[in-house]
Amino acid sequence: MTPFLTDFFSGCSRQVILVDLVNAVNGGKEEVNKLQQILKNVFKIHDYGSNNWLRRLINPNIEKILVATSKADLLPPDQHRKMQLLLSSLLTNEIDTLKQKGCSYNALAISSIRATENRVISENGHDIQAVCGRLEQVADDQENWVTVIPADFPESVKQLEVKNGHGLQNLKFSPPQNWRLGKDALPHIRMDQVIDFLVGDLMG
């Protein structure tokens, strides 16, 4: 490990790796391959494995790993599982190795602040999942809301075309307008699951 990793992370037994999978998919297969290589390199520089009580006190291994992809609010709920499947497919060998070492692994599609709302649009007799949100950089007195029907998110690298973007890279939504500091909880996607996976066993 480098001195930075030794000084700041050597005592940690839980790890969160946050990635922007939507942006990578927008860039096509080449960008997803770059992200995959970055993730593989991350798993080469840390010590993973289960801990007994003594090792946990002195120099713990990382025993719980969460890989999370942000911007889940740009996609309707029925596509979140595809995001998680694609994320895990980038790390098939690494996940197998982690499990053999006794580690717990999870992949989640999350948003720390959900800026969109889910919509169902009827088209030619079929219900289509969509998201609706207010675009950034719009004056407060303007109601510039847009509804987006995203393309199907790929479940694996094989489903990606080299130049096939997902079409969401230029859309940035504003956070909820009616949120009040100290009074309302910010809407999110699966942040409760993040906390439960990482520290739920320590809070019992």
Side-chain angles (χ1 to χ4, degrees), residues 61-134:
N61 290 319
I62 294 175
E63 58 186 357
K64 279 200 168 189
I65 304 96
L66 172 66
V67 183
T69 176
S70 61
K71 299 181 180 178
D73 57 339
L74 295 183
L75 296 168
D78 64 339
Q79 297 215 46
H80 293 175
R81 182 174 177 273
K82 295 180 180 180
M83 298 176 74
Q84 294 166 182
L85 287 173
L86 176 58
L87 189 57
S88 291
S89 74
L90 302 180
L91 297 167
T92 302
N93 294 334
E94 287 73 18
I95 294 171
D96 289 342
T97 300
L98 291 173
K99 291 181 177 179
Q100 290 172 9
K101 291 182 177 181
C103 299
S104 297
Y105 166 86
N106 198 7
L108 289 174
I110 68 170
S111 286
S112 56
I113 300 176
R114 191 183 72 204
T116 63
E117 300 175 1
N118 301 320
R119 291 284 187 271
V120 177
I121 298 175
S122 295
E123 188 173 286
N124 298 325
H126 299 283
D127 289 340
I128 302 174
Q129 299 289 326
V131 294
C132 177
R134 182 174 178 272

Side-chain angles (χ1 to χ4, degrees), residues 144-163:
N144 192 7
W145 286 74
V146 296
T147 299
V148 180
I149 302 175
D152 285 337
F153 204 82
E155 297 181 11
S156 66
V157 178
K158 292 181 180 179
Q159 294 182 4
L160 278 169
E161 297 293 338
V162 175
K163 296 183 179 180

